[in-house]
Amino acid sequence: MKKSKLLAAMLAVVMTGTLFFGCGKSKDTSETPKTDDKQTETPAEDPAPEVEQKIVYNLGADPKTIDPQLNSAVDGSTIIHNAFEGLMREDSTGQIVPAVAEKYDVSEDGTVYKFYLRKDAKWSDGKPVVAGDFEYAWKRALNPEVAAEYAYQLYYIKNGEAFYSKKDGVTIDDIGVKALDDSTLEVTLEAPCPYFLSLAAFPTYFPTRQDIIETNGDRWALSPETYIGNGPFKMSEWVAKESMTFVKNENYWDAANVKLETLQVKLIDDEVTYLSAFKAGEIDVIESPPQAEIPSLVAAGTAEIYPYLGTYFYVINLSDNGKNVDAKAAEFLANPKVREALTLAIDRTLIADKVAQGGQKPATSYVPEGVLDSAGKEFQKDYLPPTADIEQAKKLLEEAGYPNGEGAPTVTFTFNTGSGHQMIAQAIQDMWKKNLGIDIELKNEEWAVFQDTRTNFNYLIARHGWIGDYNDPMTFLDMWTTGNGQNNSGYSNPEYDELIAAAKVEIDDAKRTEMLHKAEDILMGDLPIIPIYFYTNVLCINPKVQGTYKSLLGQMEFRDAYVE
């Protein structure tokens, strides 16, 4: 598919509701026949049976957390988006529209926002949502003791980074967010940010209740009784490793337009199992069916492939903080020529077409296709060949001192449980052995354990993936700055850090784009990451389900969903 066509597709959020064609009686609108010059009455048709407004959706494994300020994964984001709501939200067309904020004002210089909250916005326990709930949540995310991985997403706020970094003299009161009254939130930024309204629709910016969190501590987000949200649904049950159940939040400000009464979220992480449950009618919506099944599911119309703003990649541990990491293997991977050799020895086209099989495209860069710069133009550019360059990979490995892999240590590759990840890992394991003579040991871990392993640098090479938090190159590039909470590589390059920092305050579109391109040039030269393919969404949806959609940014939305 050409870039222009892909871009057009990716600018529209994926609407997953499909038309349902059924057989039924057609209603005759012609004149009724007469007998004895008297019109006979047509018997009234029986009313259609009422359909239970319940959807069963499979999320996968239990999310690590569903705390808006602590979550950093797509699965947790889906739960949070349906149980909470920010000042703004992404609608079914992909537009950012007012949510809890009824309206907003922006200063001429673009640095001061005033959000005016809806008077009828309430929490699921009936208490009003006030501006102070947002002020508390944002300052909570910026509290270094909370250790929010996404704290950096609030560095756009004046003194946000200074407070998080414990800069001398900067207190929590200096952070540029203030509730002027219960209905007015004033936000002062460090510099104009073209995507700040998109950030206001991001989970880390969602409100949370100070009284609930201070009373219950970290356990507040583990129980239906204390998981108090302000979104269209509220939790009624959570059976660990089995399911979460949500019901319509009658206190939601727009509850009159929420048709769904029950949203049951299954927590099945085995692809074969949840596909079988879907085929049996036990689950209405699944994502990522088994890779080997995708071609036949698509051909049968059971599954559809949609665009997705993200990159599937491997991350390399360049940190000195890891524990239980083989020192010889770590030294081997610290050599930039080794990392480039590993990158060039992969046939991305084969992985996308023959292993993943979901319409993915080979990742020839880190920032994926469909990402737009601040002028609205396609940002992506190619750095890698779509197929393997074995000759160059061997040359680089020899220059690094390991001709044909001689003397190279065995390297452990860690991935989270899932047949899809395993099949890709096995294919790349084979390529690295065949093309470079390097032995790879595969290690799989449960999702929650794996996330801790990667965050704590207890790995050598690990599976990773990143879905944009908003449509701008910055969401893919600023995570690799030194010390960033999402920098699971431990990568550090001062020049890279300077370019990202400068781009964040640059108001000239062309200069900003140039800085971000230079930053990616450095990243793709240093290669702390190995891009594999650009994501797609593969979804199977019961035809009776309407109005649900999967955002290009990852989360499934059920606010407008219903059963036909």
Side-chain angles (χ1 to χ4, degrees), residues 314-317 333 342 411-414 432 459-463:
Y314 288 173
V315 61
I316 298 173
N317 185 358
L333 294 172
L342 292 172
V411 176
T412 301
F413 171 75
T414 308
W432 282 343
Y459 73 92
L460 288 165
I461 303 179
R463 187 204 75 81

Side-chain angles (χ1 to χ4, degrees), residues 156-277:
Y156 299 94
I157 300 171
K158 190 172 182 63
N159 288 319
E161 183 175 10
F163 176 74
Y164 187 84
S165 304
K166 300 181 180 180
K167 185 176 180 180
D168 289 344
V170 177
T171 70
I172 195 168
D173 294 329
D174 295 321
I175 298 173
V177 54
K178 183 178 182 181
L180 301 182
D181 54 46
D182 283 352
S183 300
T184 312
L185 185 73
E186 183 179 76
V187 185
T188 304
L189 306 182
E190 291 280 2
C193 176
Y195 44 86
F196 185 70
L197 291 178
S198 293
L199 288 172
F202 187 69
T204 313
Y205 280 76
F206 285 3
T208 43
R209 283 269 293 278
Q210 184 173 2
D211 60 327
I212 296 292
I213 295 175
E214 290 185 349
T215 299
N216 298 280
D218 293 339
R219 297 192 61 80
W220 80 274
L222 298 176
S223 167
E225 289 73 30
T226 54
Y227 194 60
I228 305 300
N230 68 318
F233 303 99
K234 62 180 180 181
M235 186 188 291
S236 62
E237 184 183 47
W238 186 351
V239 181
K241 298 184 182 299
E242 186 175 315
S243 67
M244 295 177 175
T245 302
F246 293 82
V247 296
K248 179 178 176 178
N249 175 13
E250 68 278 6
N251 288 311
Y252 178 55
W253 68 269
D254 199 25
N257 290 313
V258 177
K259 299 177 182 178
L260 199 62
E261 294 292 339
T262 305
L263 173 63
Q264 187 173 39
V265 180
K266 293 290 188 179
L267 303 172
I268 305 171
D269 63 356
D270 182 75
E271 295 99 326
V272 174
T273 301
Y274 63 67
L275 177 59
S276 295

Side-chain angles (χ1 to χ4, degrees), residues 303-455:
E304 291 193 51
I305 299 173
Y306 301 99
Y308 203 8
L309 210 63
T311 302
Y312 187 102
F313 63 96
Y314 288 173
V315 61
I316 298 173
N317 185 358
L318 300 180
S319 169
D320 295 327
N321 300 324
K323 301 174 183 177
N324 304 317
V325 173
D326 182 88
K328 187 175 180 181
E331 182 182 359
F332 174 68
L333 294 172
N335 189 319
K337 290 188 176 182
V338 168
R339 299 198 297 274
E340 187 175 0
L342 292 172
T343 301
L344 292 176
I346 296 173
D347 186 338
R348 290 163 177 77
T349 299
L350 187 150
I351 296 293
D353 294 349
K354 304 299 183 182
V355 184
Q357 301 187 84
Q360 298 90 345
K361 293 194 67 175
T364 56
S365 59
Y366 175 59
V367 178
E369 290 185 345
V371 174
L372 309 179
D373 63 23
S374 50
K377 297 179 180 179
E378 177 80 27
F379 181 84
Q380 192 268 341
K381 72 175 187 179
D382 297 325
Y383 293 91
L384 304 172
T387 57
D389 186 343
I390 300 172
E391 183 179 348
Q392 180 63 12
K394 286 184 173 180
K395 179 181 178 183
L396 287 163
L397 194 62
E398 183 175 359
E399 291 175 358
Y402 306 94
N404 298 314
E406 295 173 13
T410 297
V411 176
T412 301
F413 171 75
T414 308
F415 61 95
N416 56 298
T417 301
S419 61
H421 301 316
Q422 182 170 347
M423 289 171 65
I424 293 170
Q426 289 172 337
I428 292 178
Q429 175 191 41
D430 183 66
M431 291 177 190
W432 282 343
K433 177 63 176 177
K434 179 180 178 181
N435 298 338
L436 297 176
I438 295 174
D439 291 314
I440 301 295
E441 178 182 307
L442 301 184
K443 178 184 179 183
N444 76 292
E445 296 180 338
E446 182 204 17
W447 176 230
V449 174
F450 172 72
Q451 289 181 85
D452 284 337
T453 294
R454 200 171 58 190
T455 300

